[in-house]
Amino acid sequence: MESSILGTLADDGTATVTVHGEIDFSNADELAQRLRAAVADWSPTTVRVDLAQASFIDSTGLGALIEGYQAADGAGVRYIVVNPTDGFRRVLTVTGLTEFFGLTESNANAETQEEAAQATGT
C-alpha cells in the first residue's frame, strides 16, 4: 500500500511532510515517525507540514502533529503547519494549537502570497 504521507527536502534546507487524505489512528504513528525522521535524518532549518490535501484529522492525528513539533523544537528546528483547510483550521483553533503550529492569520496570508509568487515566478 502506498503511503499517504510523503517527505521531501528542498535545496534551501526545508523539509516538507505532505499529508494526503485522513490523519487518524490508522496512520498517526506513521505521520509522527515521518516527522521525527525528517528532523533526525535531514537536520532541516524548517519542517513544514502541508495539509492542503488532508481531508480529516482525529485526536491521534493531532497527537502526531504535536510529536513532530516536539522533535523539531528539541532540535532547534522551526516547525509550521501550512495550507490547512478551513475545517482543519477550526480544529486547530478550538484545540488552541493554531499559534503553537505557526498558524497566525498573517502567517497564513504570507504562505498564500509566497505560493502565488512561486506559481507566477515573481
Side-chain angles (χ1 to χ4, degrees):
M1 182 176 176
E2 187 175 318
S3 177
S4 60
I5 303 166
L6 306 171
T8 59
L9 181 64
D11 290 338
D12 69 356
T14 299
T16 300
V17 175
T18 305
V19 177
H20 297 271
E22 299 181 353
I23 307 171
D24 60 19
F25 71 93
S26 68
N27 66 352
D29 287 340
E30 178 187 357
L31 175 59
Q33 190 282 326
R34 182 86 48 152
L35 291 166
R36 287 190 304 267
V39 172
D41 296 347
W42 293 331
S43 300
T45 56
T46 301
V47 172
R48 296 177 68 208
V49 183
D50 190 341
L51 298 179
Q53 301 300 314
S55 59
F56 174 81
I57 191 167
D58 70 4
S59 61
T60 59
L62 290 175
L65 293 176
I66 291 168
E67 284 186 51
Y69 170 83
Q70 291 170 332
D73 188 55
V77 174
R78 182 175 177 232
Y79 182 88
I80 57 173
V81 173
V82 298
N83 302 320
T85 63
D86 289 341
F88 269 107
R89 186 176 284 281
R90 277 191 299 277
V91 168
L92 295 175
T93 299
V94 167
T95 57
L97 295 172
T98 310
E99 288 184 30
F100 190 68
F101 291 149
L103 278 169
T104 62
E105 193 59 39
S106 61
N107 219 9
N109 291 336
E111 288 291 331
T112 301
Q113 291 169 359
E114 177 185 331
E115 288 173 4
Q118 288 175 353
T120 61
T122 58

